[in-house]
Every structure is written in structure tokens, then in C-alpha cells.
Amino acid sequence: MRSWVIYSFIAIFTFLGACGFEPIYGPGSQVGRGLQNIKLAAPTNREAYIFARSFEERLGRNLGASTTLQYNISIYDQGLDLRDVSISQKIGSVSYQLIDEAGGNVIASGKVEGFTSYSSEGNLSVASQHDASERLLIILADRVISKLAAQLPAGQ
């Protein structure tokens, strides 16, 4: 039984390799090249800094890129009404536009949303809020990258 499972996995990965399967962000892929051609607008506050840091951790800092990602972050808190439990949510969104610097044209635009929860009870409430904000901004950066990967024109 065990050898059958191992042979199945080998067959699947051999087939994927033979059909031209490659990671979406892989070196040399069209999407990877398009995402490498993006630089971010300079962050102006803590939230924007965390978003930019998360974005650049995944794709690298591309100061010589010919497209700029302009973004607007919106985050707010919402308490949950649970009996004997103090839980809150950080809810946020990022609206973005990818702009070609040569002509000023908008190449891609959109909005992503997300949320995360934290305990708003006790002495660590402020630390919990900061942690929840950071987790939410990482989620939003990942979602922007995913949407951009789907929106970029072939060969961009």
C-alpha cells in the first residue's frame, strides 16, 4: 500500500514537470517578471510600512521598476458580542493602482479585504491590537500580490 502511494506522487510530479508546470512566481515565469517590475509608493505611516515590508519580503525591493503601486490602507476595529469573552476584530482593506511611470496609465487596480481577531481583555490588549494589525497587513499584502498576479497582462 505504501509503495503505491509513493509511486502515485512520483507519477504526479513527473507529469506536472513534463507539462511545463512551474511556480507562479518562479524565476523566468511571465508573472514573476511582471511582479519584479513593481515598486511601492513610499510608506507614510506604521500601517503602510508594515504593508510595504510584507510586500517586499515576498517580491524584493525593486527601485528600478517601471511601474509603481499606489495603495490606500483602511483598518478599523469591531468588537464581537460574545458572552464572557472580550474578542475584537481588525477589519481592513487595501485599494491599489499599478501605474506605468512612462505614460501614467493604470495597468491594474482593485481592492482586497481581510480580517483578523484578537483578545481585547487584560493587560496585553495594546500588544494584541498591534499584533492583529501586523497579521492583517501581511494578509492584505499577500492578497494584493495574488490579485496583481492574476491581473498583469501577459508579458508585462
Side-chain angles (χ1 to χ4, degrees):
M1 176 68 180
R2 176 182 252 175
S3 62
W4 181 83
V5 173
I6 292 171
Y7 290 130
S8 296
F9 278 118
I10 291 171
I12 289 171
F13 287 116
T14 302
F15 171 74
L16 290 176
C19 73
F21 173 77
E22 64 179 317
I24 190 167
Y25 306 133
S29 72
Q30 286 186 352
V31 173
R33 284 191 301 272
L35 292 172
Q36 292 299 316
N37 193 29
I38 297 172
K39 68 180 171 183
L40 289 158
T44 57
N45 57 32
R46 179 182 182 276
E47 292 170 345
Y49 170 77
I50 295 169
F51 175 82
R53 182 189 70 200
S54 300
F55 193 95
E56 289 175 348
E57 281 176 355
R58 281 134 183 87
L59 300 178
R61 182 172 282 181
N62 307 310
L63 298 177
S66 63
T67 58
T68 301
L69 185 71
Q70 300 285 338
Y71 53 93
N72 184 23
I73 300 169
S74 173
I75 294 180
Y76 64 93
D77 289 293
Q78 178 178 341
L80 298 175
D81 190 19
L82 299 174
R83 185 178 216 185
D84 299 330
V85 179
S86 297
I87 294 179
S88 296
Q89 286 185 326
K90 288 276 185 186
I91 300 172
S93 64
V94 174
S95 301
Y96 64 89
Q97 289 186 326
L98 185 61
I99 300 170
D100 179 19
E101 289 192 357
N105 299 328
V106 175
I107 298 170
S109 64
K111 181 178 182 178
V112 297
E113 298 174 328
F115 73 94
T116 189
S117 300
Y118 65 96
S119 173
S120 55
E121 184 177 300
N123 296 337
L124 298 176
S125 177
V126 173
S128 295
Q129 287 180 24
H130 287 296
D131 179 63
S133 292
E134 187 164 341
R135 287 183 285 127
L136 176 59
L137 290 162
I138 291 168
I139 290 167
L140 293 172
D142 287 343
R143 288 185 179 174
V144 168
I145 291 169
S146 295
K147 283 199 71 172
L148 283 171
Q151 289 178 318
L152 287 176
Q156 178 63 25

